[in-house]
Amino acid sequence: MSATTLSLDLPADYRISDLSTFHRRDPQQIGERWTEHGAAGITLDKAFCLNGQHVRLSLQFVPGQVHATVDDIEPFQTVDRLTTLISRLLGLDQPVAEFAARFAAHPVLGPLLRERPGLRVPQTATPFEALTWAITGQQISVAAAVALRRKLILAAALPVGDLWAYPDADAVLGMRETGLRAAGFSGSKTRCLLAVAEAVQSGALPLDDWRDTCPVEAMRERLLAVPGIGPWTVNYTLLRGYGWLDGALHGDAAVRRAVQALLGSDGPLSAATVERWLADCRPFRALVAAHLWASGGVLAA
């Protein structure tokens, strides 16, 4: 089996630091590994499940380019699909220039955008990873969610070389309720994860197919029908799993705190107040949220 390698050009304003923050959430680096080689560049290795197989993707960053290597192209199906996945992972297809041009003169957002020109939202390798990460992070801190995610990966026990692959729906179902509870998931999160995995396996939630069509309203309706999934989980999944930049993340505590600081408010702002403020940012509300996360040092969310 021969390795497949391809290269993609990076925009001049590409912020590799944002990608680093996202993929270095877990200091133990069991599912992803970020390695800095000095003059030789930076490498991100990531293990995950794709089309029923465990894969390892290696991304080497050098000035102006990224070189991607996989040992087996079959899980990706074609080189074009591998290229698309890498572009999504890095947020290369996000219209950040249009966003910046539209809000450059905005009295509040303009200065915020100038602090981090070119900011993109790194995406997960699969929509299932985004959805299950969102469920994992419900109502707990990012640090606690990262630790719980690590336990999920280790409990799934899917080795790919010296890394462990993020589980797919089949692997989550194989863990059963006892395995998920032993990994530290609450009863409600366990039930939600199993319901999602069952729906993906049965085709009721065609997460991968949606990635090509992105029927947002239909996706929202189907996801909200799953017990344990609310608007925040849906919008976060749409952002990290599909690159949809208009999710209203006003329910996010970090976003509310950042808007409070940005507007100079003396007291906490309600979710409804932040929702009204974000309404003027359509169709980039989630990208605004990403800038707000970054301003508070929580882009890894």
Side-chain angles (χ1 to χ4, degrees):
M1 183 184 302
S2 59
T4 298
T5 300
L6 60 86
S7 298
L8 295 178
D9 292 332
L10 296 174
D13 64 353
Y14 191 78
R15 294 170 50 88
I16 198 168
S17 60
D18 296 336
L19 191 72
S20 168
T21 301
F22 185 60
H23 287 291
R24 296 175 75 177
R25 292 167 293 173
D26 186 351
Q28 295 190 23
Q29 296 279 281
I30 62 166
E32 304 89 9
R33 180 168 299 125
W34 187 271
T35 309
E36 299 186 6
H37 307 284
I42 297 170
T43 301
L44 169 63
D45 294 296
K46 180 170 175 61
F48 53 97
C49 296
L50 186 67
N51 294 325
Q53 299 183 57
H54 311 153
V55 301
R56 178 180 178 136
L57 172 64
S58 180
L59 300 176
Q60 181 186 13
F61 296 88
V62 296
Q65 283 193 318
V66 57
H67 306 303
T69 303
V70 293
D71 290 334
D72 185 1
I73 193 65
E74 183 180 351
F76 301 89
Q77 299 179 349
T78 66
V79 171
D80 285 346
R81 284 188 173 271
L82 172 60
T83 301
T84 298
L85 185 143
I86 295 166
S87 181
R88 287 170 170 165
L89 273 174
L90 305 184
L92 298 181
D93 53 355
Q94 296 171 12
V96 296
E98 177 187 347
F99 171 63
R102 176 169 173 177
F103 292 100
H106 192 283
V108 177
L109 289 180
L112 184 70
L113 304 189
R114 287 191 287 275
E115 289 179 9
R116 297 170 185 83
L119 183 147
R120 292 168 170 79
V121 181
Q123 291 180 241
T124 54
T126 66
F128 184 77
E129 181 181 354
L131 177 53
T132 51
W133 167 237
I135 294 168
T136 299
Q138 291 171 346
Q139 303 299 316
I140 59 176
S141 69
V142 173
V146 167
L148 191 55
R149 175 183 186 266
R150 183 192 312 131
K151 292 177 181 178
L152 175 69
I153 294 172
L154 291 174
L158 305 172
V160 185
D162 59 349
L163 295 176
W164 298 88
Y166 192 89
D168 59 3
D170 289 344
V172 169
L173 286 175
M175 296 172 67
R176 303 181 183 273
E177 181 178 356
T178 54
L180 290 169
R181 292 304 304 270
F185 284 87
S186 66
S188 60
K189 287 185 180 181
T190 293
R191 290 188 292 272
C192 188
L193 286 172
L194 290 174
V196 163
E198 289 171 358
V200 169
Q201 192 180 65
S202 70
L205 286 179
L207 300 181
D208 292 333
D209 292 343
W210 283 344
R211 204 164 194 179
D212 293 327
T213 58
C214 205
V216 171
E217 292 311 314
M219 293 161 66
R220 186 189 304 280
E221 180 180 354
R222 300 274 282 279
L223 288 170
L224 287 173
V226 178
I229 292 182
W232 180 90
T233 300
V234 171
N235 284 320
Y236 189 89
T237 300
L238 290 172
L239 175 62
R240 289 293 191 198
Y242 298 90
W244 191 60
L245 300 179
D246 197 34
L249 289 160
H250 53 277
D252 187 277
V255 169
R256 295 203 303 272
R257 288 194 299 269
V259 173
Q260 177 188 340
L262 202 61
L263 300 181
S265 174
D266 293 332
L269 301 179
S270 68
T273 297
V274 175
E275 181 180 21
R276 288 192 295 271
W277 186 81
L278 286 171
D280 292 336
C281 303
R282 294 185 180 220
F284 298 108
R285 290 176 295 174
L287 190 51
V288 171
H291 276 269
L292 295 171
W293 280 331
S295 71
V298 292
L299 187 63

